[in-house]
Amino acid sequence: MADSIPLNPVRKNSRKTAYYNAGRPARYQIEDESSNLDEMPLMMSEEAFENDESDYQTLPRARVSQRRRGLGWFLCGGWKVLCSSCCECLVHTCRRKKELKARTVWLGHPEKCEEKYPKNAIKNQKYNIVTFVPGVLYQQFKFFLNLYFLVVACSQFVPSLKIGYLYTYWAPLGFVLAVTMVREAVDEVRRCRRDKEMNSQLYSKLTVRVIYPSCISGKVQVKSSDIQVGDLIIVEKNQRIPADMIFLRTSEKTGSCFIRTDQLDGETDWKLRVAVICTQRLPALGDLFSISAYVYAQKPQLDIHSFEGNFTRITMKSKQSEMYKPGLMYDLCPQEDCDPPIHESLSIENTLWASTVVASGTVIGVVIYTGKEMRSVLNTSQSKNKVGLLDLELNRLTKALFLAQVVLSVVMVALQGFLGPWFRNLFRFVVLFSYIIPISLRVNLDMGKSAYGWMIMKDENIPGTVVRTSTIPEELGRLVYLLTDKTGTLTQNEMVFKRLHLGTVSYGTDTMDEIQSHIIQSYAQVSSTQSNGSSASSTPSRKPQPPAPKVRKSVSSRIHEAVKAIALCHNVTPVYESRVNGASAESEGTEADQDFSDDNRTYQASSPDEVALVRWTESVGLTLVNRDLTSLQLKTPAGHILTYYILQIFPFTSESKRMGIILREEATGDITFYMKGADVAMASIVQYNDWLEEECGNMAREGLRTLVVAKKSLTEEQYQDFECGNMAREGLRTLVVAKKSLTEEQYQDFESRYNQAKLSIHDRSLKVAAVVESLEREMELLCLTGVEDQLQADVRPTLELLRNAGIKIWMLTGDKLETATCIAKSSHLVSRSQDIHVFKPVSNRGEAHLELNAFRRKHDCALVISGDSLEVCLRYYEHEFVELACQCPAVVCCRCSPTQKAQIVRLLQQHTANRTCAIGDGGNDVSMIQAADCGIGIEGKEGKQASLAADFSITQFKHIGRLLMVHGRNSYKRSAALGQFVMHRGMIISTMQAVFSSIFYFASVPLYQGFLMVGYATIYTMFPVFSLVLDQDVKPEMALLYPELYKDLTKGRSLSFKTFLIWVLISVYQGGILMYGALVLFDQEFVHVVAISFTALILTELLMVALTIRTWHWLMVVAELISLGCYLASLAFLNEYFGIGRVTLGAFLDLSFITTRVFLWKVCVITLVSCLPLYIIKYLKRKFSPPSYSKLSS
């Protein structure tokens, strides 16, 4: 049916179409665009394509909402939607959010801000002193179960409705509320302390004091919460950045610094940030107040990877500048008195976002965003009160029980003939049958949840596990979707160099010593040549190349060129830490050779792949010892320093999938263009070869990252397919490295065109890319590298376990597409037999339509999609995309922002109605963890932010298997059995009350006194019933060995309307047998009917607990004996409570009667008739239709 829906072709835009198809050969044919669109079975009308793109996302949803509106929709829950919408509108009216705008921030002058910006205070508290009690009470009484108990308890203040004692109603309700309030208060105090600790951190703020005719700059200590927009803040090394700032100055001579962003984007690699050139060049720190400058910043946004702004400095003319007194210029000078302002564009490289940490040097920045407008806060969703699916199911069952209670009361009043004040009698019957919904249900379930949490934390097989939300342990047994982070969760984020491939020869970890010997030999030849004065070149293969360019190079020269290219083509910076007083020795690195051999040298880069490559070149003898913004230096095995000047650098982007660098060698003046990138991007750049594509595929299947290094005029012979297949199955991350020599004229021509493109106002990125692509032609292929990202312990068997349990796993990461794909393969998130569909980049609705159409034709394949493409698909085809993605065995979303991760979680919850679990270890995973039905945090290298925000905290990813398969399974099945048994306990006594009232002319008189009712729910049956939290159907080892058992839990068969009706029938049968049996067998001793029926009731409950238990525990036996002993003691010492009606009637228990054989055998007969048939039915069912777990146990 969907295939027959006609779709109009998307309106063509020549410019967008040309850009979309540029550089993408054989992807889509333009002439087939209309036919492809027509084949796409998307549920959209023809007019939707004719509307403007701005209306696309609103039209389909509007139609859906219009179809749903109606009387049936209103009665079936629409009134809830309307009420919530009205409340949201009211709240929105009372708390209108201020529109975010771009701003101009003057350096060091917060008072000149045009608007009032939010306070820079972190607040994670849910309540305050005023809202705590109302808020907690609302969270409790919004559930029907607790609201029902409140109404019944309040009814006992009306004398005509009073039945029994007040404490029998208020004591259990008060206990539940007290426990809840204490728990919430403890959590709130902890949150308050954490917030206070963060807001009280002290920072140095630059200030100026004017003492005419000069000014003195100084520092004052301010709290993090007192920082304002425009303040100049000094942040020391290893200190958290308190607010979003523009980087003005640093103590590093290079004018740059490193920051750690693991709590913002989840990446443990350090990021390089560059100070504003104008302020970095100022002679002294106090000169920041001597200039008149401001920063224009865009309005606060969610995107943490981009920023647009300008830095402007206004300078006085020479005559005016002599009269200018520092610190006194606070207003813009007249235009005729000023020189043209100095402008400097600002990008993400000039920013210091809050929640990041300074990793090198001391930085000074001007605050531009504070409080709620910071990037980290905008990307963090508010935590919600999570409610388990089991609680919602029990809430629905209690509504059904209440309906049955009302119907039973109406029947009783109707059988009375509606005589007298029948309405009052109706309400009395409602209160009389209130035990159908026992308040002990909430008490037992809450205590059970606490017991499950204690068992989880005491499990020696998952040490360090912490339960932070004790209300949802059953959710661990109902999960269908697991959304996991990559960095630090599935992987250790530690790269290890595994393979170097030169086309005809391949080197692995066991043959790296051969490469080292070749490097030592090559540079030894260079040194000897230089000492003889015959050559000044540092490249030994350069001399024989001109006379014989077509001759194959020796293996030694090829290894030398490949290693040198890997050592030069990167964004890695060496960092030195002096052991004396912890001072940095980086500034001396260029002068003193001894600093180059410092044992404390570490490498920092935005990609761990590059660090692994540079560490490998160091291990084979070629060491990166120094780097700044204009040059880098290598140390040879002999200790000589080779200096290279950086002319241009082209960073890696997700679109280009490659990075490049143009260097000038100091010794020879030669200019060389090096480039490395993914095989798909480099295949068309390097010269023809017949081994690159196959070898990259082999490495990818092995889990290795590949990098292709190339150089112009390379020729290669055919390489055997056998070796290619081996590398593919290893799944390494591959990079291709290439090289191209440039003449001075070629570079000057390129530089002029490149600089001109960078100054373009329109389509700057496209023009810059076109100029760079003109240089990326006929490059010489040097080598192929394979890097392995080490996985966490036992990740592969854990993912296999979860997949066999029926859990669909989605990997959401902020990393690159290639990296995410490699990890998906190496971790076996995607099995070897499955295909992978990489969702190509899309930017508009037509491209999304085409790509979804292509994806629809794939079957049983994993999906890999980027965050940008995902956003476009969700904007236009949300329902269709989610439906297709949910059919995939695995989904990988790369380049996801923290907000997108939370959005994906909510999409799965809305479209599938299944339970979701999110697991991560970084601050960027907090939104996802809080949005999921069950959030799990890992304490790892990225800190404890995710662990503290999660519902459950573990120390290793592999622990999630036992947490779900064992504890999640047991928690759900135990709570389901416990909840149904508590309801059975209430329904059976209500049935007995109904039989009693019908016999006594439908009088609303209680059968048992208040003390007996309280004792029935507590000391007489509480311990055996609560001992069900120790029950288990299979052993933990069996649950881990057969994860397929977990699939049954997602269907909710342990607690459903079917099982509920079975328990209702059991309760009605047993209640009727107990009451009628007592009346039939004891017609002559009717005054003792209370003791007779209550004794049989207690024995029946104890036997029913034994019938329900599947695996006995010694505490269960003790609980049964304690309860029986307490009841026998009550018979002996509290006999006045076993009479009919009130104690004042004088109907007491006859102690001599209960010791007779007649009493004993008749009670045993009644109990046997009520329980024996159930035992027989259970035996026959287990014999002829056993459950799956019983088959495994046998």
Side-chain angles (χ1 to χ4, degrees), residues 251-266:
S251 59
E252 304 293 311
K253 291 186 177 181
T254 59
S256 61
C257 78
F258 285 100
I259 61 172
R260 295 196 296 267
T261 63
D262 47 12
Q263 295 300 318
L264 186 65
D265 58 12

Side-chain angles (χ1 to χ4, degrees), residues 581-608:
N581 297 328
S584 175
E586 293 177 43
S587 59
E588 301 176 2
T590 57
E591 305 292 339
D593 182 72
Q594 60 267 23
D595 286 336
F596 292 160
S597 58
D598 192 344
D599 294 335
N600 274 354
R601 182 197 301 117
T602 57
Y603 296 110
Q604 296 300 333
S606 59
S607 171

Side-chain angles (χ1 to χ4, degrees), residues 960-1002:
I960 194 176
R962 187 176 181 88
L963 188 64
L964 302 186
M965 300 300 112
V966 177
H967 294 287
R969 172 186 175 80
N970 289 339
S971 298
Y972 168 61
K973 294 184 78 70
R974 289 167 176 171
S975 288
L978 181 62
Q980 292 179 118
F981 201 93
V982 172
M983 287 190 291
H984 157 75
R985 188 174 62 183
M987 287 186 290
I988 189 174
I989 202 169
S990 298
T991 303
M992 296 176 67
Q993 177 66 58
V995 174
F996 176 78
S997 297
S998 62
I999 292 176
F1000 281 88
Y1001 306 102
F1002 307 103

Side-chain angles (χ1 to χ4, degrees), residues 229-249:
V229 173
D231 284 343
L232 297 177
I233 303 298
I234 301 174
V235 185
E236 304 291 341
K237 182 179 179 180
N238 293 326
Q239 195 173 18
R240 181 184 67 91
I241 297 175
D244 290 353
M245 303 192 301
I246 294 299
F247 186 14
L248 299 180
R249 286 179 64 87

